[in-house]
Amino acid sequence: MTAAVQTDPVVRTPYGDVRGRYEDGIAVFRGIPYAAPPFGPRRFRPPVPPEPWDGVRDAGSFGPTPPKPPYSEAFEKYLSDPVVPGDDCLNLNVWTPEPGPAARLPVMVWLHGGALTRGSSAVPVYDGATFARDGVVLVSVNYRLGVEGYGLFPDAPANPGLRDQLAALQWVHESIAAFGGDPDRITLFGQSAGAISIGALLAAPQAQGLIRRAVLQSGPPEAFERDKVRRMVRRMATRLKVPATAAAFAEVDRDLLLRVQGDVGRLSSPVLGGPSFGIVVDGDLVPRDPLEALTAGDAASGVDLMMGWTSEEYRLWLVPGGLLERVDRLGAVALAGAMARCHCGTEVPRGYRTLHPEAGTADIVGQIVTDHLLRVPLHRLADAHTGSSYVYEFAWPSNLPGLGACHALELGFVFDTGDVPESRKLAGEGGPQHLADAMHSAWVRFATDGDPGWQPWDDTHPVRIFDAAPPRTAYGPRDAELALWTTAPTPEPQPVPAMAPTPTPPSRTTELRSVVRRLRLPGSVRRQ
């Protein structure tokens, strides 16, 4: 007998019909526009709906990716970032096991990371087929990046990239039933810059009622200092020899704008900070700092939360290019830089050294910065939502030398895409499938009914540990380090740490600045 041939699935959206493809029994729709191309008169402006189309629009391949500079050579060996040319870059993708309004399946909406300057929904690690295989409708989103999405100008609204994400979320809420999803069971999940974006959306008045659950992976709710973002724009304007206005930047060749953005962005660092692109308080979509809003009870009422980190986030910042060894060699200067970056006194690095006497300087600096920027605020968020929050730590070390349990390593396990080459660029060969099974199923369970399979956050601080062993719950595994931040006094201007064996010559400060300039990071706990 001849097997029945599945015809391509067709679904109606608010702007026209789209034709997807069946791939191994999963209906996949790629490149669906949720907003009009953000160029021409719409450049640096909030998104507007796309033009409706007649007939059936083909949705068989990924849509254009937003403009972005490439990763540096040091990071390209670990991270993939495909480019799809074209202007219609405000698009999304849907994987569904059962198109049609009768299914009412849980929905997960993915916001990628990449420092708000890189990344896209076309990265193969983010393939949604495994979630659809397990009964979830998966949506992945493209949004404006870098100066196009997060430049701060006097003549344009702030946060257009975040406004893109809100428009996509509204599209999902209005349209996903036709794809088999339940608009009342939308879980927003993202990593690094995607998680930071989720924090802002959870606190945004315009997003209330659109999100049932949220997962923040390696990114805290936060708003950047407006002056940091302004300085990024001003530095670009100086290089371009144009005014620091949206009107002037809109006249600049797009490729030139990306080259200058990439060059200026090399001076940013998660260790010492510096100007960078980020979400800012704008009095509208972001009326106040998202972490303050979420911990004060002003937002996210009734939203289940899951959040976590990797054990050694900082190794993705420092291992490429051999920078881990260079920071170790800098010793006291690197520690002083971390103290200045995190606004802490000598008590904090002394405490870390006492808790981890075997650790090198780079590991101490990395953990200090990670805790300050990521774990402390996520602990605050969990404390404000006890009983409806779940916390995890990803602790499996990469099979590649030096990376350890670094930033972004968990993604191939969450998506259960460890077999694609792009996942192996970070994990190496032979990542444990049982770990992917455990993490992926926890994310599916959380999206389905709000319970990932372990104890919710309470005053015992339960943290689910994912590593080579079967998943287990540890109680307060980071409490000793995080307590240093609550007991340390407000510092005066920072001296070199007392633990330093000898005073450090001024030339090593110059060397540290050189290291920072060479980082060329794809992002940080704050920005990726």
Side-chain angles (χ1 to χ4, degrees):
M1 295 178 63
T2 302
V5 177
Q6 281 184 308
T7 59
D8 290 340
V10 176
V11 169
R12 173 156 294 181
T13 79
Y15 306 105
D17 294 348
V18 292
R19 176 182 287 109
R21 304 288 187 274
Y22 276 109
E23 300 175 2
D24 297 325
I26 302 298
V28 186
F29 302 81
R30 296 182 174 92
I32 304 172
Y34 66 85
F39 300 107
R42 293 185 289 269
R43 201 168 181 193
F44 302 110
R45 299 292 163 181
V48 298
E51 287 291 328
W53 57 87
D54 296 324
V56 180
R57 182 186 181 115
D58 186 70
S61 57
F62 286 114
T65 51
K68 55 190 174 177
Y71 283 127
S72 68
E73 184 178 348
F75 285 93
E76 189 179 30
K77 65 182 291 189
Y78 297 110
L79 302 169
S80 297
D81 198 8
V83 173
V84 181
D87 285 353
D88 206 358
C89 60
L90 298 185
N91 58 69
L92 51 77
N93 318 295
V94 181
W95 286 259
T96 176
E98 191 177 344
R104 306 289 290 186
L105 298 170
V107 180
M108 299 187 74
V109 179
W110 170 248
L111 299 181
H112 66 80
L116 297 176
T117 59
R118 296 176 176 88
S120 78
S121 65
V123 174
V125 178
Y126 310 150
D127 189 284
T130 54
F131 281 103
R133 174 199 69 194
D134 295 329
V136 173
V137 178
L138 192 286
V139 182
S140 60
V141 177
N142 281 337
Y143 55 92
R144 277 174 284 181
L145 303 168
V147 71
E148 301 277 0
Y150 297 93
L152 190 56
F153 298 100
D155 56 338
N159 301 315
L162 187 67
R163 295 173 193 274
D164 295 343
Q165 295 169 357
L166 175 63
L169 186 59
Q170 291 168 332
W171 184 98
V172 171
H173 198 265
E174 296 168 1
S175 310
I176 205 62
F179 293 85
D182 183 350
D184 294 325
R185 283 197 294 167
I186 294 175
T187 297
L188 195 57
F189 75 127
Q191 186 262 352
S192 202
I196 292 170
S197 301
I198 290 170
L201 290 170
L202 285 170
Q206 296 90 326
Q208 299 309 299
L210 299 179
I211 305 166
R212 179 64 186 86
R213 300 184 179 97
V215 184
L216 289 79
Q217 300 174 213
S218 299
E222 66 172 5
F224 273 35
E225 297 174 20
R226 292 174 69 91
D227 189 56
K228 279 191 174 184
V229 182
R230 282 198 191 97
R231 293 206 310 271
M232 192 75 170
V233 172
R234 288 169 184 158
R235 290 183 182 185
M236 290 184 64
T238 298
R239 299 282 185 94
L240 294 165
K241 297 181 171 58
V242 300
T245 64
F249 273 51
E251 297 298 320
V252 176
D253 175 78
R254 202 181 304 171
D255 291 336
L256 174 60
L257 200 64
L258 287 178
R259 289 196 298 273
V260 172
Q261 176 186 303
D263 188 44
V264 170
R266 290 177 186 144
L267 301 179
S268 300
S269 164
V271 179
L272 295 182
S276 54
F277 292 115
I279 296 165
V280 298
V281 173
D282 59 18
D284 173 28
L285 185 59
V286 187
R288 62 183 294 195
D289 181 85
L291 181 61
E292 297 304 320
L294 292 170
T295 54
D298 295 351
S301 176
V303 177
D304 300 324
L305 300 176
M306 187 163 77
M307 64 199 80
W309 48 75
T310 71
S311 296
E312 300 168 291
E313 302 271 2
Y314 61 92
R315 285 186 169 266
L316 185 62
W317 317 336
L318 297 180
V319 167
L323 296 173
L324 191 81
E325 292 79 7
R326 294 191 67 185
V327 173
D328 265 337
R329 181 161 52 85
L330 289 168
V333 172
L335 284 168
M339 290 159 51
R341 175 74 177 90
C342 300
H343 310 291
C344 65
T346 58
E347 295 81 3
V348 170
R350 279 202 193 102
Y352 277 81
R353 184 68 81 191
T354 299
L355 291 169
H356 304 283
E358 77 292 346
T361 298
D363 289 311
I364 295 293
V365 168
Q367 292 291 10
I368 286 173
V369 173
T370 300
D371 287 350
H372 172 68
L373 298 178
L374 174 61
R375 295 190 182 111
V376 169
L378 286 182
H379 262 239
R380 285 184 59 196
L381 180 61
D383 284 341
H385 294 265
T386 56
S388 60
S389 296
Y390 298 84
V391 178
Y392 74 88
E393 177 168 325
F394 179 84
W396 181 78
S398 170
N399 287 323
L400 296 179
L403 285 181
C406 69
H407 196 62
L409 180 59
E410 87 281 10
L411 294 174
F413 297 90
V414 169
F415 278 85
D416 191 12
T417 52
D419 57 339
V420 303
E422 290 78 7
S423 288
R424 295 196 294 271
K425 288 176 75 171
L426 262 187
E429 299 292 337
Q433 182 58 44
H434 69 85
L435 177 57
D437 294 340
M439 294 196 78
H440 178 75
S441 64
W443 267 241
V444 169
R445 287 183 58 174
F446 182 71
T448 302
D449 60 21
D451 180 1
W454 65 89
Q455 180 181 344
W457 189 259
D458 58 22
D459 58 7
T460 67
H461 293 180
V463 177
R464 194 69 160 178
I465 306 297
F466 292 99
D467 57 17
R472 64 192 184 280
T473 300
Y475 293 88
R478 300 280 176 178
D479 283 5
E481 291 90 344
L482 300 186
L484 296 170
W485 298 95
T486 59
T487 58
T490 302
E492 298 296 326
Q494 304 303 327
V496 172
M499 69 185 75
T502 57
T504 306
S507 60
R508 298 184 72 192
T509 302
T510 303
E511 185 179 2
L512 178 60
R513 291 182 182 136
S514 173
V515 169
V516 171
R517 290 190 180 95
R518 292 188 60 241
L519 282 174
R520 302 183 183 184
L521 294 169
S524 70
V525 159
R526 291 176 65 90
R527 296 190 304 280
Q528 185 174 351

